[in-house]
Amino acid sequence: MKKIALIFSLVLLALPVAAKEERVAGPDGRLVVTVSDEGGKPTYSVTYDGVAFVAPSPLGLKADIGDFTAGLALTGFAREAVADDYSVPTIKASTVHYRANRGVFSFAKDGKPAIDIIFQVSANDIAFRYKIYPPKPDTKVCVITEEATGYKFPDGTTSFLSPMMGPMSGFARTTPSYETDYRADEPLGKNGDGHGYVFPALFRNGNDGWVLLSETGVNGTYCGGRLIGNADGSYRLAFPMPEEIGGNGTSTVGLAIPGCTPWRTLTVARDLKPIVETTVAWDVVEPQYEASQVYEPSRGSWSWILKMDSNTTYPVQLQYIDFSAAMGWETILVDALWDTQIGRENMEKLAAYAKEKGVRLFVWYNSNGYWNDAPQGPRNIMNRSVTRRAEMAWLQKLGVKGIKVDFFGSDKQVMLQLYEDILVDANEYGLQCVFHGCTLPRGWERMYPNFASAEAVVASENLYFGQYRCDREAFSATLHPFIRNTVAAMDFGGSTLNKVYNPFNDTARRGSIRRTSDVFALATAVLFQSYVQHFAMTPENLTDAPAWAVDFMKEVPTKWDEVKFIDGYPGQFVVLARRAGDKWYYVGINASAESRTVEVDLPAGAYTLYSDTVEPATAKAARKLHGKKAPLTLEPRQTTAATFLGARESRTHKGGAVKVTIPCNGGFVIVQ
Ligand code: CA
């Protein structure tokens, strides 16, 4: 009998173990994730309406307590419905109704529970994360050394990616800071500039649809990930570069177990509407603490963007306080070098003067630390609890509204902990936080109620720094609503009405020339979502810019209740609508060489239209420059010789489609 049993088990061992697979779909059944353990390796694949969007791709991770990428068996599966109705004032939609199905795929190794892979699938979004179990009861922690998490797309997929910057390079060794231009409609199989790509990452699945990759729920318990592009066209998730912040801090992750990794997200859609309207970055995360107070939205001005470092002075800041007051804006941002050029005593006077005018201050800090050479002060305050909290107590005493902390330069776990520590302390002192020179915020609006916005984009400063970025301003702006700005607030700091990027708005003096129209500037104030905005306008714009444009900027909100995608293609044009209360703002911009006529469905009623026409004499020159045909290639439009004649008009409408023509580098806004 014993012998027979032995022979029987030997036969069993010799047989290949049948792969097991389970699936979970979104509530309407169209988006489906299939998880398999074929060959002992966990994989997932994604279809939408039966069309493949992600081919079988690896899952799993390696840790010091075990290799959870191989030798695994799918031993359990549980499915449940998830519903969450929540409000976050700082995101694109103030109220969200999240409905999804959760599938928990349990994997065992050597007969013992090893990891769960938890997928949540809503109509167009997938979020997944790993839960790691202790191999022995007395194991409480682990070090995760790498993830197998990968993404393999069908043939013919193209990409819209921003290369990860190399470590400790760029201005004063402040990189990586997510400040590389997105490259549009590129074939797969590259690896950026050798360091992979940042999140978010957009992929076009031929004519079948789109996939947007990102991550969310990243806090001090993990690091930020990046994407490595393989030569075969697949991608894998990688941890930060060891050389970041001078090699200090690990690029691996320490995790208490049982414990979870952050969420990786995929937004999958046949058209671009779910890409622009997704809320997945906030759907699956939890508030990390309660707001100490109501954090209000705000608009403001800042001298730095057009007058640079030398004008962070007491008299110039007084002018900007008066300017914000004249605009009806709530704040000014006192940028770099106030510690030496204004001084603490004058900062107190400035805060008092601002208070009289009904304006509050945002105050800039260098984050360091030992991780950058940026000379701009104040330095070495925000990096340690002891100095940070004393400073924040002073800021609170002054009635300061928030801080802007710059120059972080790493996605390592130690740096993610610093972001979180700054936010936690700032909340205690009633301060909102804006980050610059920073990582992509990953779900932070919901996780941290005083988190307002972040850079992590080639922002307005680059329009000042060089003509190249001005020449491609419209091109870049048409990418953000589909990629960077759809997963997190984006502090672009734009909407300048200056013709030229210099303090004098004088085209005879040195400075990059703005190629875009004034209406384009107004449109981006709506297009770029950020609960706190500092617009690149100057006190001089009260007299040197068109009154209709200044009036619009006085009224434009920064808190939005809803967003609707209408039309567009990343790199060419975009038309969307945002709602604030009962008012809808319809906006569009065009980066294509030729004018584009778009249709916007409006309910009956009165509306105000801001639109561009091009001066006939210069229109001819512009056409000559661009050629007659609108090319389908996505090369940014270099320059325009056009002079725009922007205008505001009031109309009444009986309901139905309204046609608007947007010239190259122009825009439109309809307020109803
Ligand atoms: Ca920057």
Side-chain angles (χ1 to χ4, degrees):
M1 194 61 195
K2 246 186 185 170
K3 209 171 172 186
I4 294 169
L6 184 68
I7 291 165
F8 186 66
S9 29
L10 284 174
V11 168
L12 267 186
L13 277 174
L15 285 173
V17 181
K20 202 170 171 209
E21 65 173 45
E22 298 286 358
R23 57 191 58 193
V24 59
D28 61 6
R30 299 176 72 180
L31 179 59
V32 180
V33 174
T34 304
V35 173
S36 159
D37 66 357
E38 191 165 358
K41 295 187 173 188
T43 61
Y44 74 109
S45 56
V46 177
T47 60
Y48 190 95
D49 287 345
V51 176
F53 276 75
V54 179
S57 299
L59 292 168
L61 39 83
K62 286 184 181 172
D64 61 344
I65 54 164
D67 177 355
F68 306 120
T69 65
L72 296 180
L74 179 53
T75 51
F77 176 62
R79 193 166 30 201
E80 63 175 324
V82 179
D84 188 11
D85 300 307
Y86 65 91
S87 294
V88 180
T90 46
I91 63 172
K92 65 177 90 170
S94 57
T95 304
V96 178
H97 305 287
Y98 176 62
R99 297 289 178 274
N101 288 318
R102 178 187 299 145
V104 179
F105 303 82
S106 298
F107 287 84
K109 186 162 189 172
D110 304 327
K112 277 186 277 182
I115 55 169
D116 286 347
I117 307 178
I118 303 160
F119 275 87
Q120 282 189 195
V121 185
S122 58
N124 289 97
D125 296 299
I126 297 164
F128 68 93
R129 65 175 172 178
Y130 303 103
K131 184 172 184 182
I132 304 160
Y133 290 97
K136 293 182 225 139
D138 55 354
T139 307
K140 306 291 184 209
V141 295
C142 72
V143 174
I144 300 168
T145 50
E146 64 180 277
E147 287 195 25
T149 312
Y151 309 88
K152 198 167 171 12
F153 298 106
D155 289 346
T157 298
T158 52
S159 69
F160 298 70
L161 300 172
S162 163
M164 171 60 79
M165 305 166 102
M168 297 295 283
S169 63
F171 171 71
R173 300 199 289 170
T174 55
T175 63
S177 51
Y178 289 62
E179 291 173 288
T180 309
D181 292 297
Y182 272 86
R183 297 171 188 171
D185 252 344
E186 285 213 330
L188 313 188
K190 302 181 185 177
N191 189 34
D193 301 329
H195 311 289
Y197 301 97
V198 304
F199 288 112
L202 181 65
F203 296 87
R204 182 183 173 194
N205 182 7
N207 291 323
D208 288 326
W210 300 83
V211 181
L212 181 74
L213 302 185
S214 195
E215 358 176 74
T216 191
V218 184
N219 59 16
T221 66
Y222 218 80
C223 64
R226 65 193 159 117
L227 278 178
I228 295 293
N230 300 315
D232 68 358
S234 67
Y235 296 82
R236 70 176 171 84
L237 189 129
F239 286 169
M241 299 165 279
E243 302 84 0
E244 290 173 19
I245 49 173
N248 286 292
T250 62
S251 56
T252 55
V253 167
L255 190 73
I257 49 174
C260 289
T261 68
W263 296 94
R264 320 299 174 197
T265 66
L266 302 92
T267 303
V268 180
R270 304 306 298 267
D271 60 57
L272 288 158
K273 189 175 165 66
I275 301 289
V276 172
E277 298 177 9
T278 182
T279 53
V280 68
W282 309 284
D283 292 339
V284 293
V285 303
E286 301 274 327
Q288 307 288 291
Y289 50 77
E290 275 197 26
S292 65
Q293 58 192 274
V294 176
Y295 292 104
E296 300 285 353
S298 61
R299 297 86 41 90
S301 60
W302 51 318
S303 63
W304 186 85
I305 187 58
L306 283 150
K307 304 187 179 177
M308 293 279 132
D309 281 356
S310 63
N311 279 296
T312 310
T313 60
Y314 184 70
V316 172
Q317 301 314 300
L318 288 178
Q319 288 170 15
Y320 274 75
I321 290 169
D322 290 342
F323 173 50
S324 275
M327 293 298 290
W329 290 346
E330 294 78 14
T331 71
I332 70 159
L333 165 63
V334 184
D335 215 280
L337 294 165
W338 61 263
D339 56 331
T340 46
Q341 297 178 174
I342 296 176
R344 286 177 182 268
E345 214 170 293
N346 274 338
M347 282 296 277
E348 297 190 4
K349 284 191 207 156
L350 209 57
Y353 181 76
K355 197 177 174 188
E356 264 174 48
K357 296 279 178 171
V359 171
R360 295 177 72 187
L361 309 184
F362 269 81
V363 179
W364 186 95
Y365 288 87
N366 189 331
S367 84
N368 67 350
Y370 52 79
W371 42 85
N372 72 65
D373 299 323
Q376 287 87 353
R379 293 164 49 92
N380 300 315
I381 292 175
M382 286 296 148
N383 56 310
R384 292 173 64 227
S385 179
V386 63
T387 45
R388 181 171 63 230
R389 290 175 65 86
E391 186 77 0
M392 287 177 172
W394 176 69
L395 293 172
Q396 187 180 40
K397 196 182 81 188
L398 265 57
V400 165
K401 188 162 177 9
I403 52 174
K404 170 181 168 180
V405 189
D406 207 336
F407 300 133
F408 287 85
S410 179
D411 289 344
K412 288 182 178 178
Q413 184 172 12
V414 65
M415 196 57 97
L416 267 298
Q417 187 65 57
L418 177 63
Y419 286 109
E420 185 170 78
D421 291 348
I422 292 173
L423 285 157
V424 172
D425 284 347
N427 182 52
E428 247 181 77
Y429 294 98
L431 299 165
Q432 282 175 302
C433 294
V434 174
F435 296 125
H436 267 233
C438 59
T439 191
L440 175 77
R442 290 156 162 94
W444 293 359
E445 291 92 336
R446 191 175 183 196
M447 292 161 69
Y448 310 115
N450 57 325
F451 169 75
S453 197
E455 187 181 22
V457 65
V458 179
S460 61
E461 61 189 23
N462 296 286
L463 301 171
Y464 187 103
F465 295 149
Q467 189 61 47
Y468 171 74
R469 258 50 181 267
C470 278
D471 292 346
R472 54 188 287 137
E473 183 189 359
F475 167 76
S476 301
T478 61
L479 295 172
H480 301 323
F482 302 101
I483 314 173
R484 164 63 182 86
N485 200 194
T486 195
V487 300
M490 182 177 83
D491 191 33
F492 187 83
S495 295
T496 189
L497 295 174
N498 268 27
K499 301 266 177 250
V500 57
Y501 282 85
N502 65 35
F504 322 100
N505 197 11
D506 179 355
T507 46
R509 301 204 201 200
R510 220 170 71 140
S512 28
I513 305 292
R514 186 161 62 96
R515 302 299 187 192
T516 55
S517 74
D518 290 341
V519 179
F520 178 100
L522 309 191
T524 57
V526 175
L527 204 59
F528 298 164
Q529 184 270 325
S530 181
Y531 193 65
V532 164
Q533 294 263 24
H534 289 103
F535 295 118
M537 285 177 62
T538 69
E540 293 79 6
N541 292 151
L542 289 173
T543 49
D544 70 10
W548 51 263
V550 174
D551 289 347
F552 177 87
M553 293 305 295
K554 287 179 179 173
E555 299 296 327
V556 69
T558 60
K559 178 183 181 292
W560 300 106
D561 295 303
E562 203 176 336
V563 58
K564 264 191 211 166
F565 172 72
I566 296 170
D567 202 356
Y569 188 94
Q572 292 184 2
F573 74 110
V574 60
V575 182
L576 60 74
R578 294 195 195 276
R579 180 173 65 81
D582 54 9
K583 224 178 213 185
W584 279 96
Y585 289 72
Y586 301 82
V587 298
I589 56 169
N590 180 20
S592 323
E594 289 288 288
S595 289
R596 191 180 283 271
T597 300
V598 298
E599 285 193 7
V600 180
D601 257 323
L602 287 185
Y607 67 91
T608 308
L609 170 70
Y610 301 79
S611 64
D612 279 323
T613 46
V614 174
E615 192 186 75
T618 60
K620 207 175 151 193
R623 263 202 307 279
K624 206 174 156 194
L625 195 65
H626 294 309
K628 271 224 148 59
K629 255 183 110 196
L632 286 174
T633 57
L634 287 168
E635 280 305 301
R637 305 280 64 80
Q638 288 309 312
T639 56
T640 178
T643 299
F644 297 100
L645 305 171
R648 170 180 61 190
E649 53 190 301
S650 298
R651 292 184 179 180
T652 50
H653 183 53
K654 61 180 194 316
V658 170
K659 281 189 180 174
V660 192
T661 299
I662 322 172
C664 169
N665 288 337
F668 82 88
V669 179
I670 290 171
V671 187
Q672 195 184 33

